[in-house]
Amino acid sequence: LITYGLKGMAAYVDHAHILGQEDDAVYAFIHEAMDSLSSNPSEVDALVAMAMKVGEVNLRAMELLDAANTGTYGHPEPTQVRVTPIAGKSILVSGHDLKDLKMLLEQTEGQSINVYTHGEMMPCLAYPELKKHAHLAGNYGGAWQDQRKEFDEFPGAILMTTNCIQKPRDSYKGRIFTTGLVAWPGVEHIHADAKGHKDFSAVIQSAREAPGFAENAEEKTITIGFARNAVLGVADKVVEAVKAGQIRHFFLIGGCDGAKPGRNYYTELAQQVPRDCVILTLACGKYRFNKLEFGDIGGIPRLLDCGQCNDAYSAIRIALALAEAFNCSVNDLPLSLVLSWYEQKAVCILLTLLHLGIKNMRLGPTL
């Protein structure tokens, strides 16, 4: 558990480092935790204490990454995002890295190439400094485990930033590229120079050679961008709605998605949430239900998309602010946490929630 938590934390710390946010105390703790593991500890209380410390330090790691993303690209804001393609040459960007997307957008400016997000990159469409690029056209596809089918059908170039890659099919292996901390044998990797700059001309050339979308699909949109700044900006309305009985309960339905049976539970749960309740969601588990119609409560959308998995930090900040507004603990809020469990980053987020003393979480479908 500690090892997986450290792996997840390391991913967040690396993303923050790329954008110039660091904390020596976080690095020091990673050394301390790895040193403790190297002694093959067996004392349960000591192991639990170290796991809780992973959660505590990961809260700082997520704070660093939040500061890096919002400090560089602005605070996410509620944004209508197109989820159907438009005619023209195209590039699909998947993974987690905002800086890679920004560099690609700058290099494709005025090139008549549309750039689409995929998977955990969809929240990028809500950042002011990214969405100002008119050719950031929308989101294509869903969660990571569907990529082999979706990439096969995508008529352009594909750029993988950081993790979540699956073994590429031969049908698109020649037009998929990797960068950062993800790679695959036989797939071209885009390296950064000494100053961190990356030349994406090979990706752009691949997009030009691919057919692109022949025609516009019927326009469909969803709303994203309800990170902490956006939600806390209307916190008074949310508090009023709760006190007036208009909002009865909040359900945080989020986490990682996967292909194993049982994950339709999250779709069914979202559909059965009563009309006077609000759903908070984040990470790629949201693709199970984020294109359904949920409506609003007095102008407040019933589905609030907080962003990527690391934006669990936003959800925590929202919960802490609501607890302060109601003068109670987070555990006393009308809030249920229903988390879809999968990988390292899910582990360190869980440890952070446990460190904060949050109880009665539901985890599934497999641990």
Side-chain angles (χ1 to χ4, degrees):
L1 193 63
I2 293 165
T3 304
Y4 265 64
L6 289 172
K7 287 183 177 186
M9 187 197 306
Y12 292 149
V13 169
D14 182 67
H15 282 301
H17 164 74
I18 287 168
L19 292 174
Q21 287 282 344
E22 297 184 273
D23 184 341
D24 285 345
V26 174
Y27 297 145
F29 169 71
I30 292 174
H31 284 269
E32 176 192 338
M34 292 174 73
D35 179 56
S36 74
L37 289 171
S38 71
S39 66
N40 293 316
S42 59
E43 171 56 44
V44 172
D45 288 346
L47 285 164
V48 171
M50 180 56 75
M52 292 301 97
K53 188 74 185 292
V54 172
E56 178 184 355
V57 178
N58 182 60
L59 182 62
R60 173 63 179 147
M62 290 196 294
E63 180 184 34
L64 287 170
L65 182 51
D66 179 85
N69 287 339
T70 59
T72 309
Y73 305 111
H75 282 280
E77 51 196 26
T79 305
Q80 289 275 319
V81 167
R82 184 173 177 132
V83 292
T84 50
I86 53 180
K89 302 293 185 179
S90 52
I91 297 174
L92 187 63
V93 184
S94 193
H96 294 79
D97 199 281
L98 277 61
K99 186 175 182 180
D100 288 333
L101 177 61
K102 178 65 172 175
M103 284 189 281
L104 179 68
L105 288 169
E106 289 170 345
Q107 292 174 39
T108 49
E109 197 76 57
Q111 303 256 13
S112 298
I113 296 173
N114 292 315
V115 177
Y116 297 86
T117 61
H118 175 270
E120 284 271 54
M121 291 299 283
M122 182 169 71
C124 296
L125 289 145
Y127 284 87
E129 285 300 307
L130 297 174
K131 72 175 188 175
K132 72 180 184 183
H133 295 275
H135 62 298
L136 182 58
N139 189 75
Y140 176 90
W144 68 274
Q145 77 274 3
D146 298 325
Q147 68 181 249
R148 298 186 80 208
K149 178 179 183 293
E150 291 170 353
F151 291 0
D152 190 32
E153 295 170 351
F154 186 77
I158 302 152
L159 176 64
M160 293 298 302
T161 72
T162 68
N163 54 353
C164 297
I165 195 170
Q166 291 183 301
K167 181 182 180 181
R169 288 180 175 174
D170 291 340
S171 56
Y172 62 83
K173 195 171 184 180
R175 54 187 174 86
I176 187 171
F177 300 80
T178 59
T179 192
L181 294 178
V182 63
W184 198 275
V187 170
E188 184 172 345
H189 189 80
I190 310 295
H191 293 277
D193 64 19
K195 294 182 179 178
H197 178 75
K198 296 178 182 180
D199 179 0
F200 290 119
S201 55
V203 183
I204 295 167
Q205 184 59 34
S206 176
R208 287 203 185 101
E209 293 169 358
F213 288 102
E215 58 186 14
N216 293 340
E218 179 187 352
E219 183 174 3
K220 294 179 183 175
T221 62
I222 60 174
T223 305
I224 67 168
F226 293 99
R228 61 182 173 86
N229 202 56
V231 175
L232 295 180
V234 294
D236 55 339
K237 293 180 183 175
V238 174
V239 172
E240 284 171 22
V242 174
K243 287 180 176 175
Q246 294 169 301
I247 296 177
R248 179 157 53 104
H249 202 84
F250 296 89
F251 291 85
L252 174 61
I253 308 173
C256 310
D257 203 7
K260 287 185 178 178
R263 290 183 176 262
N264 55 326
Y265 166 85
Y266 299 96
T267 311
E268 293 167 7
L269 173 63
Q271 289 173 315
Q272 291 175 35
V273 165
R275 299 286 306 170
D276 59 355
C277 300
V278 170
I279 301 167
L280 295 165
T281 192
L282 49 82
C284 65
K286 64 180 167 236
Y287 284 107
R288 291 276 167 183
F289 51 80
N290 70 339
K291 293 185 176 108
L292 303 175
E293 286 292 331
F294 289 100
D296 66 278
I297 300 173
I300 300 167
R302 287 188 59 239
L303 180 67
L304 300 176
D305 184 342
C306 297
Q308 293 183 332
C309 63
N310 48 278
D311 292 312
Y313 179 75
S314 267
I316 289 167
R317 288 283 299 271
I318 291 166
L320 293 173
L322 287 173
E324 188 177 332
F326 289 112
N327 194 27
C328 67
S329 74
V330 172
N331 292 317
D332 294 325
L333 285 172
L335 170 67
S336 296
L337 292 152
V338 188
L339 308 174
S340 50
W341 177 275
Y342 201 70
E343 46 91 271
Q344 297 103 308
K345 286 180 276 193
V347 174
C348 67
I349 290 168
L350 175 67
L351 292 176
T352 296
L353 295 171
L354 292 172
H355 155 70
L356 291 169
I358 295 172
K359 300 178 180 179
N360 298 318
M361 291 176 278
R362 290 166 176 82
L363 301 177
T366 51
L367 303 181

